[in-house]
Amino acid sequence: WLPADGPACAADRARVVGMAGGARYYELSCGADPGLVLRLTPEGRFDRAWPCAEATGIAGGCKLTGEGS
């Protein structure tokens, strides 16, 4: 899901966060690194990522890592 020039994440867990405006949102747990919330386009392409610490306003924040919740 992440482009080569995007944020680094060795994802060990993922969670569907929800949908809004056709976009899909996912949370990734990145092992020992901070987690991310991703937004994918309706076609399934990467659009944007937020560190969990900045994603508290997206469906209640990250749940897999506990960051930002």
Side-chain angles (χ1 to χ4, degrees), residues 22-38:
R24 291 176 280 170
Y25 292 80
Y26 296 89
E27 177 187 356
L28 297 181
S29 172
C30 301
D33 296 322
L36 300 169
V37 171
L38 306 180

Side-chain angles (χ1 to χ4, degrees), residues 48-61:
R48 183 169 177 193
W50 295 266
C52 283
E54 297 174 16
T56 57
I58 302 172

Side-chain angles (χ1 to χ4, degrees):
W1 287 337
L2 294 170
D5 62 347
C9 178
D12 57 357
R13 293 186 295 163
R15 167 180 89 87
V16 175
V17 174
M19 293 184 70
R24 291 176 280 170
Y25 292 80
Y26 296 89
E27 177 187 356
L28 297 181
S29 172
C30 301
D33 296 322
L36 300 169
V37 171
L38 306 180
R39 179 173 64 200
L40 303 182
T41 66
E43 298 78 31
R45 291 188 301 269
F46 173 80
D47 182 41
R48 183 169 177 193
W50 295 266
C52 283
E54 297 174 16
T56 57
I58 302 172
C62 293
K63 308 291 187 216
L64 296 177
T65 63
E67 298 172 67
S69 55

